[in-house]
Amino acid sequence: MKISMIGAGGWGTALTHVLSKKHDSLFLYCRNEKKAEKLRKTRINEEYLPGVILSDTINISSDLENVVKDADCVILCTPSKAVESTVTQIEKYLKKDAITVCASKGLADNKGTRLSQVIAKKLSKVTNKIVALSGPNHAEEVGEDKPCATVAASCDEDAVRFVQDIFMSPMFRVYRSDDICGVEYAGALKNIIALACGVQGGLGLGDNCRAALMTRGLTEITRFGISFNAKMSTFLGLAGMGDLIATCTSIHSRNYRAGRALSEGKTAKEIIESTSMVVEGIRTAKLVNEIAERKGIDMPITKEICHLLEGKHSPQESLEVLMTRTKKSETEGYLFDKEEFFIKP
């Protein structure tokens, strides 16, 4: 069985490391030949995942055709904005009915299009076996073989079970879900709340404030997901609350670090230019805010993050806006009357 990873960033490298413990026919695509050659020689991705030694059994290549051709499973692990162009490139090499996994987190556009929808449309003549992989998984800890859990989601039960099987290990536990919509929205939108928690941390506002931001943040990203027919229960699981906790509290979180930079007065442009890694929350916040305003979805934290990114408010002004909003019930807008929310005996 041939498994191919497209993307040699931190997350792609970490997932390849996980798979190498179970599979010998494993390929890692690196679009830069100079970097691919260095990885082949050193077996260490110094730029994105230093300290993790890749197995000699991993085939590292900058030849996309060689990596994708005859693969039973192809895993996309690129920045969200590169997913469409990447899928367009691999379509001509992809084997019929190959299982295609999206391990990237983000949205495709300001209409709320999910990455799996882009993939499905581009590959409609080749495969409909599309799976999303998402959860509270920092690449640094996954690469160090620290225990974690994640979610594989798809409308195709055979495909999602396949992905669960190829990844499952004593250190990497995989759960199944049929709510690919909720899993993808949760994974994308939690980055916005991580930016907010980074600002909170940078200002030294304390644990009480962070707890409030995370809790109310979970409420608004759930509200957004439900408006696109996602299941509320998904946001209470690993892809939602789990990923939110990890991203809003960890030094490994690039979105949290970006939020701290915002609190120091740095602009979005300065933050983006200061790192080789993609800060997905910056792009996602702008897309989600446009959608929320158009659809009338109440997302006050997201709106204030956009005001910060656009330089319209200072952190202190955004804090005042959030703290002095109109009084309301805590459960207002929770949609507790939805039958699917309740756990039946």
Side-chain angles (χ1 to χ4, degrees):
M1 177 172 59
K2 179 179 177 180
I3 303 172
S4 298
M5 181 71 63
I6 311 299
W11 188 221
T13 303
L15 286 178
T16 304
H17 174 68
V18 170
L19 289 166
S20 69
K21 298 179 182 301
K22 296 181 65 175
H23 307 281
D24 294 328
S25 187
L26 185 61
F27 289 72
L28 174 62
Y29 172 72
C30 181
R31 63 189 177 93
N32 183 294
E33 173 55 29
K34 186 176 180 180
K35 180 179 176 182
E37 178 61 26
K38 184 177 180 180
L39 275 174
R40 284 193 291 269
K41 288 181 179 179
T42 66
R43 315 307 290 186
I44 299 174
N45 191 338
E46 289 287 357
E47 183 177 6
Y48 292 108
L49 203 65
V52 177
I53 301 174
L54 294 175
S55 168
D56 290 335
T57 62
I58 300 170
N59 300 282
I60 302 169
S61 174
S62 62
D63 184 339
L64 189 61
E65 180 178 2
N66 178 55
V67 171
V68 175
K69 191 175 181 180
D70 297 323
D72 300 284
C73 179
V74 174
I75 304 161
L76 300 171
C77 208
T78 69
S80 61
K81 66 181 181 181
V83 167
E84 184 171 5
S85 61
T86 302
V87 176
T88 300
Q89 292 178 64
I90 71 171
E91 189 266 344
K92 56 182 174 289
Y93 307 129
L94 198 64
K95 177 173 145 182
K96 182 69 174 175
D97 293 327
I99 292 174
T100 305
V101 182
C102 182
S104 305
K105 297 177 182 178
L107 296 182
D109 54 37
N110 64 0
K111 296 177 183 178
T113 307
R114 293 177 284 110
L115 300 181
S116 71
Q117 292 175 310
V118 172
I119 296 168
K121 183 177 180 180
K122 289 289 183 181
L123 301 181
S124 61
K125 296 180 180 179
V126 183
T127 184
N128 60 4
K129 298 181 181 299
I130 313 298
V131 181
L133 189 74
S134 188
N137 312 130
H138 289 305
E140 295 84 355
E141 294 183 4
V142 172
E144 293 172 0
D145 298 315
K146 292 181 178 178
C148 68
T150 196
V151 181
S154 179
C155 300
D156 187 310
E157 186 173 355
D158 290 338
V160 79
R161 286 181 179 274
F162 176 93
V163 172
Q164 185 178 38
D165 289 341
I166 65 170
F167 276 105
M168 196 83 158
S169 77
M171 291 293 111
F172 197 81
R173 183 168 178 80
V174 185
Y175 288 86
R176 296 189 306 275
S177 171
D178 61 1
D179 183 22
I180 189 170
C181 175
V183 166
E184 286 190 281
Y185 280 131
L189 271 66
K190 53 86 186 180
N191 286 326
I192 303 170
I193 310 307
L195 286 172
C197 285
V199 175
Q200 167 270 326
L203 294 176
L205 299 179
D207 294 337
N208 295 343
C209 182
R210 183 187 300 183
L213 269 176
M214 290 173 66
T215 306
R216 297 308 303 176
L218 181 61
T219 298
E220 73 176 58
I221 67 175
T222 302
R223 187 184 295 129
F224 183 94
I226 288 175
S227 74
F228 283 91
N229 298 315
K231 295 180 181 179
M232 182 180 287
S233 54
T234 299
F235 291 84
L236 301 178
L238 287 166
M241 182 170 64
D243 206 358
L244 187 72
I245 292 170
T247 313
C248 291
T249 63
S250 175
I251 57 171
H252 296 311
S253 170
R254 65 190 69 167
N255 290 283
Y256 179 81
R257 294 196 301 269
R260 291 188 72 100
L262 272 177
S263 75
E264 296 166 2
K266 292 184 179 178
T267 65
K269 185 174 184 290
E270 289 172 335
I271 293 168
I272 292 169
E273 292 178 346
S274 69
T275 178
S276 61
M277 297 183 179
V278 177
V279 183
E280 290 283 4
I282 293 176
R283 178 174 179 270
T284 303
K286 294 177 181 178
L287 295 176
V288 169
N289 192 52
E290 287 182 36
I291 297 165
E293 290 186 346
R294 190 168 61 246
K295 290 179 62 102
I297 306 170
D298 187 26
M299 302 190 73
I301 298 173
T302 299
K303 178 181 283 189
E304 285 309 313
I305 284 298
C306 284
H307 284 162
L308 285 176
L309 292 170
E310 294 163 3
K312 293 180 178 179
H313 283 174
S314 67
Q316 292 77 13
E317 287 171 332
S318 287
L319 174 64
E320 183 177 355
V321 168
L322 290 173
M323 293 298 290
T324 59
R325 295 175 66 233
T326 303
K327 292 180 286 186
K328 63 194 301 184
S329 164
E330 185 185 17
T331 57
E332 187 176 329
Y334 267 31
L335 303 178
F336 274 175
D337 58 331
K338 287 228 170 184
E339 185 179 353
E340 69 90 22
F341 172 78
F342 296 99
I343 300 175
K344 298 179 181 179

